[in-house]
């Protein structure tokens, strides 16, 4: 099939237009919306229990294993679930997702891939009959860059793997989620404008109402949020502020581990560590024999090719050297560096960020000297949350916190306080409540509620499909980041073993691609070939 004909075949098929962070689509469902892009702050692996899933490896250049749960033997028998946390419409993430699936198909005989955004069979392997591999790659590459197909669909088109793509949506819930999104679109622009107006008033009041320490905390937080302040410096600032206020850090396990790794880092001469690593490997090779030498060569090659992580390689080296070399005595810098890498492996990025947020809140509470500071700070925090709420960018934990005290987010309740404060400090601003947000909060909220309901439908369809699938050691489930924690909990409750995998990603997605796809706006490809009809 010629390139234009293949493109047209894709278009007429009603092609899955993976939406941004949340809801993709297929021919049986309407287009819907994206939701939450979880940018992993640190790509590190926690220490896993000694289970069969512990032996699962993902080439480090493609992705990272974030979590592993092995169900007890009394749990439900069946394949282990590889739960891939998707970043819809992000080209880099989708290419790495395709590489992860390609690796699992080759090495682990993965065949069944279950995805959100579709219902039933959503495979695209039929397109292989219409063009050779080179032509398929050319078309699929352009669709992937435009956000019109996902990584699993790309692989299904260009590869020769015997894959089955299966949609796990409940169509009614899917359509309900789409309706909720369209409702949000009707209010979103005005709501964001209202939020920006109120936020400008709050920022103008802070220099008049906040004490110097509180102003400094607010400035540090803003700088960190906008990536002007590195994580290292923000954590250091919070820890030092906590110590000044006699706030215990004993419960901040991830923060403490992160700080310990920073202290260890200061003691390492990385140039020497690299030199000592080379010398160590040479000395070790001279002391090993036969199969052990071959394994050393193979592991070193895999590490250079990024097929195994640094931690996996260093664990192997340390074990291999146990009876032959004294690492700490002969190679102190390399030994310190390996301990540094191992320490980093135990840092859970999501837990670290959660602890940072909690520590920040504790420090702030100690800095307040009056109720006006406390009230203005609370309004500022609520405005930040509402901004994320309207942008469909809340995490499940943030959404749960919002639901715990919805009255906190009624903008009409702030106006008297803000108006009085503006008059007191001679500011000309006249705060106005956002009727768009206050009167439509339930409609806005329904998007999140239906999204959570969809997870139960996902679980039912996943379990049903696994029960009828052919014998396999692994199956894959691909959903957006918002669903990761909820599905992990459901997998555990239903007795399934699982591993959570995140594709590597270094750049944020372009929101314009997401919304263009969701609204069905034609891209350059479609414009070109629809004109030929």
């Amino acid at each position: 099939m010629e390139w234009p004909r293949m493109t047209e075949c894709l278009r007429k098929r009603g092609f899955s237009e993976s939406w941004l962070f949340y809801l993709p689509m297929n021919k049986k469902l309407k287009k819907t919306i994206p939701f939450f892009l979880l940018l992993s702050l640190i790509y590190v692996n926690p220490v896993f229990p000694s289970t069969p899933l512990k032996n699962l490896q993902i080439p480090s250049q493609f992705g990272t294993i974030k979590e592993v749960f092995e169900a007890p033997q009394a749990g439900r028998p069946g394949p282990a679930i590889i739960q891939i946390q998707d970043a819809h419409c992000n080209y880099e993430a989708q290419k790495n997702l395709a590489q992860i699936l390609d690796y699992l198909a080759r090495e682990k005989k993965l065949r069944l891939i279950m995805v959100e955004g579709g219902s039933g069979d959503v495979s695209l392997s039929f397109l292989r009959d219409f063009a050779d591999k080179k032509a398929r790659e050319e078309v699929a590459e352009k669709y992937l860059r435009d956000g019109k197909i996902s990584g699993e669909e790309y692989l299904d088109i260009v590869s020769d793997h015997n894959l089955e793509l299966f949609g796990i949506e409940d169509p009614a819930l899917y359509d309900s989620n789409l309706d909720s999104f369209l409702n949000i679109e009707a209010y979103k622009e005005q709501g964001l404008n209202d939020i920006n107006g109120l936020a400008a008033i709050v920022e103008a009041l802070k220099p008049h109402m906040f004490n110097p320490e509180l102003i400094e905390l607010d400035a540090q937080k803003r700088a960190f949020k906008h990536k002007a302040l590195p994580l290292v410096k923000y954590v250091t600032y919070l820890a030092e502020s906590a110590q000044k206020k006699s706030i215990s850090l004993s419960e901040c396990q991830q923060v403490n581990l992160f700080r310990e790794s920073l202290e260890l880092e200061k003691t390492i001469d990385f140039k020497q560590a690299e030199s000592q690593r080379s010398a160590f490997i040479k000395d070790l090779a001279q002391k090993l024999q036969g199969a052990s030498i071959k394994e050393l060569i193979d592991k070193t090659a895999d590490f250079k090719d990024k097929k195994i992580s640094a931690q996996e390689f260093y664990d192997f080296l340390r074990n291999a050297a146990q009876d032959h070399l004294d690492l700490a005595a002969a190679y102190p810098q390399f030994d310190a560096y390996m301990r540094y890498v191992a320490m980093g492996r135990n840092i859970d990025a999501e837990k670290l960020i959660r602890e940072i947020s909690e520590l920040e809140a504790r420090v702030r509470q100690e800095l307040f000297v009056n109720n006006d500071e406390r009230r203005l700070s609370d309004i500022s925090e609520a405005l930040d949350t509402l901004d994320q709420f309207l942008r469909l960018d809340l995490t499940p934990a943030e959404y749960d916190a919002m639901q715990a005290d919805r009255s906190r987010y009624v903008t009409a309740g702030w106006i008297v306080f803000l108006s009085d404060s503006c008059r007191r400090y001679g500011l000309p601003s006249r705060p106005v409540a956002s009727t768009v947000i206050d009167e439509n909060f339930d409609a806005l909220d329904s998007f999140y509620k239906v999204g959570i309901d969809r997870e139960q439908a996902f679980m039912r369809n996943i379990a049903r499909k696994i029960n009828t699938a052919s014998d396999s050691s692994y199956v894959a489930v691909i959903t957006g980041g918002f669903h990761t924690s909820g599905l992990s909990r459901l997998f555990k409750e239903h007795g399934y073993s699982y591993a959570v995998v995140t594709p590597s990603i270094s750049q944020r997605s372009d929101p314009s691609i997401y919304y263009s796809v969701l609204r069905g706006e034609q891209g350059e490809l479609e414009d070109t070939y629809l004109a030929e009809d």
Side-chain angles (χ1 to χ4, degrees):
M1 175 178 280
E2 295 177 358
W3 197 85
R5 288 180 58 212
M6 184 174 176
T7 303
E8 181 62 12
C9 185
L10 285 166
R11 182 181 66 81
K12 290 181 177 177
R13 176 77 172 180
F15 223 52
S16 164
E17 310 207 353
S18 324
W19 28 281
L20 147 82
F21 310 109
Y22 196 32
L23 308 161
M25 158 209 125
N26 87 347
K27 62 171 184 173
K28 298 183 181 179
L29 299 174
K30 301 173 185 176
K31 282 174 271 187
T32 294
I33 177 166
F35 183 62
F36 165 70
L37 175 57
L38 178 63
L39 288 174
S40 293
L41 179 63
I42 303 172
Y43 283 103
V44 291
N45 295 334
V47 176
F48 299 140
S50 180
T51 67
L53 271 176
K54 182 179 183 297
N55 298 322
L56 176 69
Q57 295 181 358
I58 300 296
S60 59
Q61 70 269 39
F62 302 142
T64 301
I65 299 174
K66 291 185 60 182
E67 178 188 353
V68 165
F69 170 75
E70 182 73 18
Q73 296 208 344
R76 182 184 300 274
I81 296 172
I82 309 300
Q83 182 184 2
I84 302 179
Q85 181 175 299
D86 198 4
H88 304 302
C89 290
N90 182 293
Y91 173 73
E92 179 189 17
Q94 294 305 317
K95 280 303 282 279
N96 285 328
L97 187 152
Q99 296 279 19
I100 290 169
L101 294 173
D102 178 61
Y103 172 83
L104 292 171
R106 285 186 286 104
E107 302 297 327
K108 302 297 182 182
K109 310 303 179 189
L110 174 72
R111 180 175 177 271
L112 176 59
I113 302 170
M114 291 176 277
V115 298
E116 67 170 315
S119 178
D121 180 15
V122 293
S123 300
L124 295 175
S125 54
F126 73 95
L127 289 170
R128 300 176 190 176
D129 296 333
F130 297 121
D132 60 26
K133 186 176 180 66
K134 183 178 179 181
R136 298 199 312 267
E137 287 177 346
E138 185 179 358
V139 175
E141 178 72 16
K142 285 190 173 291
Y143 271 82
L144 189 67
R145 283 189 180 277
D146 287 349
K148 301 298 177 63
I149 63 172
S150 59
E152 66 272 13
E153 291 169 327
Y154 172 88
L155 182 67
D156 201 23
I157 294 170
V158 305
S159 77
D160 296 320
H161 297 309
N162 181 25
L163 301 175
E164 179 184 4
L165 270 57
F166 183 81
I168 55 176
E169 291 284 358
D170 177 300
L173 287 175
Y174 186 97
D175 286 345
S176 178
N177 227 165
L178 173 58
D179 291 341
S180 298
F181 164 68
L182 295 176
N183 285 335
I184 289 175
E185 280 291 277
Y187 312 131
K188 181 178 177 181
E189 185 175 353
Q190 183 60 52
L192 289 174
N193 286 337
D194 292 347
I195 287 171
N196 289 336
L198 288 167
I201 293 172
V202 169
E203 292 303 311
L205 285 169
K206 284 179 180 180
H208 299 282
M209 299 179 67
F210 279 3
N211 67 70
E213 286 183 304
L214 201 54
I215 289 174
E216 175 64 13
L217 172 61
D218 191 68
Q220 293 282 337
K221 177 188 174 182
R222 295 285 171 182
F224 173 62
K225 178 181 177 180
H226 296 294
K227 297 182 171 56
L229 184 70
L231 172 68
V232 170
K233 290 187 177 181
Y234 190 53
V235 170
T236 301
Y237 163 77
L238 287 177
E240 291 175 352
S241 299
Q243 290 169 348
K244 288 178 185 177
K245 296 297 180 181
S246 301
I247 298 173
S248 172
L249 298 178
S250 60
E251 296 181 1
C252 302
Q253 296 179 354
Q254 295 295 318
V255 168
N256 290 332
L257 189 59
F258 183 66
R259 294 180 68 209
E260 287 173 26
S261 72
L262 297 179
E263 291 303 313
L264 180 56
E265 181 181 347
K266 294 175 184 177
T267 70
I268 299 173
D269 183 323
F270 288 91
K271 202 167 186 179
Q272 274 195 35
E274 185 177 354
S275 176
Q276 288 182 9
R277 180 179 66 186
S278 300
F280 166 77
I281 291 174
K282 288 179 182 177
D283 291 347
L284 181 60
Q286 292 175 356
K287 296 182 181 297
L288 297 178
Q289 296 179 353
S292 296
I293 294 178
K294 183 180 184 305
E295 187 177 13
L296 174 62
I297 293 171
D298 290 343
K299 290 287 186 183
T300 302
D302 286 345
F303 174 61
K304 281 188 173 183
D305 293 338
K306 296 185 178 181
K307 292 181 179 179
I308 61 174
S309 68
Q311 183 56 47
E312 290 169 311
F313 182 52
Y314 296 146
D315 283 348
F316 164 76
L317 291 181
R318 193 176 287 280
N319 291 333
Q322 277 183 348
D323 299 326
H324 304 286
L325 296 169
D326 187 338
L327 256 171
Y331 315 95
Q333 287 296 314
F334 181 47
D335 179 65
Y337 177 71
M338 287 199 291
R339 287 188 284 111
Y340 171 71
V341 172
M343 190 175 291
R345 188 186 186 207
N346 290 312
I347 297 173
D348 184 302
E350 293 178 37
K351 289 181 180 178
L352 175 63
I353 292 299
R354 187 159 57 247
E355 285 188 4
I356 289 171
S357 180
E358 292 167 356
L359 181 58
E360 175 192 290
R362 291 166 64 194
V363 170
R364 184 183 297 106
Q365 285 299 321
E366 291 298 322
L367 294 180
F368 290 138
V369 296
N370 58 54
N371 286 332
D372 283 352
E373 286 181 335
R374 189 173 283 106
R375 178 67 168 145
L376 187 65
S377 179
D378 187 68
I379 292 172
S380 180
E381 293 293 308
L383 282 167
D384 285 344
T385 301
L386 281 174
D387 183 82
Q388 290 177 281
F389 179 65
L390 282 171
R391 296 181 190 277
L392 306 178
D393 204 22
L394 287 181
T395 67
E398 289 167 339
Y399 175 72
D400 288 343
M402 191 179 200
Q403 291 303 301
D405 184 10
R406 286 179 52 167
S407 63
R408 182 187 175 200
Y409 304 94
V410 178
T411 65
W414 309 337
I415 301 307
V416 171
F417 172 80
L418 292 176
S419 297
D420 289 347
S421 298
C422 286
R423 283 193 293 271
R424 185 183 312 136
Y425 296 104
L427 300 183
S429 303
R430 293 295 176 263
V432 177
S434 175
T435 55
V436 166
I437 294 175
D438 292 351
E439 293 177 5
N440 296 285
F441 195 94
D442 287 340
L444 298 169
D445 188 47
S446 67
F447 177 83
Y448 292 86
K449 286 183 175 177
V450 176
I452 293 171
D453 289 342
R454 286 172 63 224
E455 291 173 5
Q456 296 291 338
F458 290 169
M459 189 67 250
R460 290 192 297 272
N461 291 329
I462 289 168
R464 191 177 300 122
K465 183 62 177 176
I466 286 178
N467 289 339
T468 61
S470 59
D471 185 32
S472 176
S473 298
Y474 299 95
V475 298
V477 173
I478 304 172
T479 64
F482 182 82
H483 296 300
T484 300
S485 59
L487 276 180
S488 295
R489 175 180 53 78
L490 291 172
F491 292 154
K492 191 177 295 186
E493 289 176 359
H494 286 75
Y496 290 103
S497 300
Y498 66 87
V500 176
V501 176
T502 58
S504 294
I505 178 173
S506 60
Q507 296 184 348
R508 180 178 285 273
S509 304
D510 180 357
S512 64
I513 296 178
Y514 304 152
Y515 288 94
S516 174
V517 167
L518 288 177
R519 296 185 182 110
E521 296 168 0
Q522 292 176 184
E524 183 179 341
L525 266 175
E526 288 83 353
D527 288 339
T528 300
Y529 292 105
L530 285 175
E532 297 180 1
D533 287 352

